[in-house]
Amino acid sequence: MDKALHILLIEDNPGDAGLVREALREHNIPFEMALASDGAEAESYLSRMGKTIDAPCPDLILLDLNLPKVGGHEVLASFRAHPLCTLTPVIVLTSSNAPRDRELAIAMGAARYFRKPSDLPDFLRLGSVIREVATEAGIAFGGSAFERGKSAPAFAEQEMARGNSPGFRTGVRMVGPCTGLRTSGNPEG
Amino acid sequence: MMDQTVSLERDSLILIHAPTGRDARLLQELFQNASLRSHVCLSVDDLCREVERGVGTIFIAEEALAPSAIESISAVLQKQGAWSDLPLLVLTVGGEPTQAIRERLARLEPLGELTLLERPLRSDTLVSAARTAIRARTRQYEVRRRDAELQLVTDNVPVLISYIDRAQIYRRVNQTYSEWFGRTTEEIVGRTIQDVIGEPHYTNAQAHISQALDGERVSFESQLWDKSGLLRDVSVSYAPDIALDGTVRGFISLVQDITERKRAERALRATSDRLQFLGELGEVTRALTAPEGVMTIVARMTAEHLKASGCFYADVESDMDTLTVQVNYSAEGSGGVVGAYRLSSFCPGFTADIRQGETTVIRGAGREQEAEEGSGLFHALGVEALVCCPLVRDGKLTALMAVTQMAPRDWTVAEVELFETVVDRSWAYIERARAQSELRKSEQQFRTLADTIPNLAWMAYAGGEIFWYNQRWYDYTGTTPDVVEGWGWQRVHHPDSLPSVLEGWKHSISNGTPFEMVFPLKGSDGSFRLFLTRVAPVCDNFGTVVRWFGTNTDIDEQKRTEDALRRANGDLEEFAYVASHDLQEPLRMVNVYTQLLLRRLGSEVTPQLSEYAGYVSTGVRRMESLIRDLLTYSRTAHDDDEEMSGSADLSVALRHAIASVDARVQETRAQITFDSLPVVSGDEGQMSHVFQNLLSNALKYCKNEETPRIHVGAEHSNRDWVVSIRDNGIGFSQDHAERIFGLFKRLHRDEDYPGTGLGLAICKRIIERYHGRIWAESKVGVGSTFYFALPDGNHG
């Protein structure tokens, strides 16, 4: 069986959650998804993460910025502060096209900024964006180039053992829009 | 008078006259041995000549004193001055002199100091006698030299110096003295004062002379005729000559010519009198506001100052002939000339000068104007002499002023000039008085007006002291005039704003510039309200600030409303923004899931189902554009300083707009042409938005059968740039030209021409934001032209 991609989706709109699943299926990405439907649930997930069976450490986080209770930016900051999630790639999902939101997300190390499109085919492209990000981050999952059975954190540990500091990898990801930070989603933007 | 200078050698020269025997030679030898210079005179004539040239002493043998010799010697000695007492040493034969000799010697006695030396003579006696004699003589010469020096000095002093004795007879005068009277010293010395200075002056001086002879020093000023008969001012000093026993022997008189000094003093006094008079005139008239009042004062003061019989002021009518005497001052109080006259009834010469604006001086109407017609009028008016100054303004004689005399009068140049000055100033005083009276009148009107307006109002002097407030001020502040007049208004100011108010107000006062500021003022209830204060300077004709008019307008309510409105607008825009945003979310769901449903159904989708799904997606699209436009519309209301201050190149904005509608241009094969467009102040992005909307409309409402042609033009018109977008589309009725700029206003069904009805509203909002106007002209079936005008930015 293919290794599933562990995804944490933080999204308050069940419709959008459904669409994310559709997009993953559309692109044949095996996944296991945990859903936090608001900021508070996300914070709660974070507190349990790695300790309980229902809160595994995710390979990838999909984060809606417009969240009730605790805002998306705040949630992102909390995850970044967690030792197990400093490097976990984050794709920001949003209906906002405000430059302010986009800049903030990039500054906080989001791998992609995906504006939710109102056209189905456009939305389904999210699947390829997820695949791209996971591949860039060297996360092994079904159908990927990496060795099966190796989780992303384990891979990171191996990298560190080889002398590549995780800071180096973070640096590559965080340099700025020209080094791979692209906004995916509705091209009308 | 002065003897020729005697050399020092001759002071000590011994003359020897002993014509018989060896005496002369022996004496000469003896004196030579004693280093005394001597000269032997062989004859009496020789002796007399030598004496005149200068001599120390004379040794003369008794036997040489023949009567004729005595005669000659006496004569020469008499010519010596009073200073001389020539030592004469007579060598006698021995024994008692004979009677004859005695008698002869007695004749010489008063003329010299006679010493008899008896022969045989001892040599040392002779030398000693000679030395004694020479010493005495040297002293006499010294006295004479000093006397000569003194004379030289006194002669050259520009002061009349004389010595007058008790009998009031001149004993001595200097050259200046004799020259004054044009006489020689000899003609004066020996004569009495009375004789020399003449009876009238002597009478004046007599008392002073007596005082001097009583031993007092006297100084006085008097007048004295000089040799050419001119009476000159002199200062006289008498210094008594008092002998040791206290008796007054006479006095020294010093007389100095002070005519020039007196003249300068008189000129100075005249000038200062004149200045004082003009100063008083200015001072007295300053407070007056009625021109008649000014002229009454001027006429009286001028007549009094010039000691004239009268002074009048007359207005000249526009016919330049009729003159109305408005003010007449008469020293006698007759005041006869008030009334109307015709200038032409006076002498032609006089009227011609007056009409040309020239000062006319008549010294005696009877004498000068006798031959002229009209001189009788002067007589009738009792005017014999006058100085008349006309006022000519803009080439027209408008007034005249004259100072008159009932008797002939020889007006001096200074008097005429003074009168001209007075008249010149009077015109200025009248102007000033008129201006002040006008000002007072307008102030009165202003006060009346100011009490009816709802603003607080006040007036201040040029220096900033407030002297009047309207009733509204007192009603609002609850103050009283005595506490707020001047600078007391500060008490109703807030301590935080007062310093900047004072600074601004003082700046305005010193520069004469208007003042405008918003600050709070305390009301009678102790609470502050915000006022807009405007103060404007009021200037006279010369541009000098004479008053300040200020108003305080209560803008508290206005300010509050504005703030509330701004807040409300902000809230509304924020609401519109968020609402538009949140409205888009459910729409997205509707759209995406409709598509998903169709996908899932796959082959089960019927054509009807496809049609329905089409309606869903059209509805969603339309709703989306509505929301997007609403978002744009709400965004344009934000006052962004950065956008407001920028400049927009309309050519660039148009290029962007054309690019954005390119697909539609291709589709319709439209032709777009444009002129070169100006740069205006505004935001380029927003201007591009306007073009985009207007171009979209032109491309949308085009005729199917015709190639759309769109032209964008620009014209400069009266400080504005007017941009036009002309099309050849379907057009619309001009009746709708205004309605189409309203929110959600549409002329067509969405099925025919889709649209949100917000495009033009957005354009209007953008253009108005930059202080422009937008309008349209159209004709159904012909086409539409949309215009917008924006300020060219060159006028602030």
Side-chain angles (χ1 to χ4, degrees), chain B residues 239-252:
Chain B
D241 173 24
I242 302 167
L244 288 174
D245 62 0
T247 58
V248 179
R249 287 190 290 233
F251 63 91
I252 297 159

Side-chain angles (χ1 to χ4, degrees), chain B residues 655-776:
Chain B
R655 243 192 335 270
H656 286 303
I658 290 173
S660 72
V661 296
D662 188 54
R664 183 71 185 147
V665 171
Q666 300 298 332
E667 194 184 319
T668 57
R669 297 167 191 279
Q671 292 176 2
I672 302 180
T673 54
F674 49 89
D675 297 341
S676 93
L677 299 182
V679 175
V680 295
S681 50
D683 179 66
E684 217 159 78
Q686 296 204 337
M687 291 304 159
S688 181
H689 201 103
V690 171
F691 278 125
Q692 195 183 325
N693 264 309
L694 295 176
L695 290 175
S696 300
N697 278 351
L699 292 166
K700 193 196 289 177
Y701 303 106
C702 61
K703 294 177 196 155
N704 290 328
E705 67 280 9
E706 213 174 315
T707 309
R709 284 180 225 281
I710 302 168
H711 180 76
V712 181
E715 248 180 75
H716 193 256
S717 154
N718 189 29
R719 296 187 175 190
D720 283 338
W721 278 107
V722 179
V723 179
S724 56
I725 295 93
R726 193 178 65 235
D727 66 47
N728 58 344
I730 57 169
F732 54 86
S733 162
Q734 188 64 28
D735 297 345
H736 302 309
E738 278 189 39
R739 206 164 79 89
I740 54 172
F741 292 101
L743 268 178
F744 302 111
K745 297 300 181 208
R746 304 212 59 218
L747 300 179
H748 304 277
R749 289 189 309 166
D750 201 55
E751 298 95 283
D752 302 335
Y753 296 97
T756 59
L758 277 166
L760 288 175
I762 292 169
C763 291
K764 183 172 156 75
R765 201 152 167 167
I766 292 173
I767 295 298
E768 286 181 351
R769 202 176 158 211
Y770 296 105
H771 314 292
R773 289 170 296 126
I774 188 163
W775 69 100

Side-chain angles (χ1 to χ4, degrees), chain B residues 61-79:
Chain B
E62 182 190 343
E63 55 272 22
L65 291 173
S68 62
I70 294 286
E71 208 58 42
S72 300
I73 292 166
S74 298
V76 79
L77 287 183
Q78 252 171 4
K79 278 199 227 162

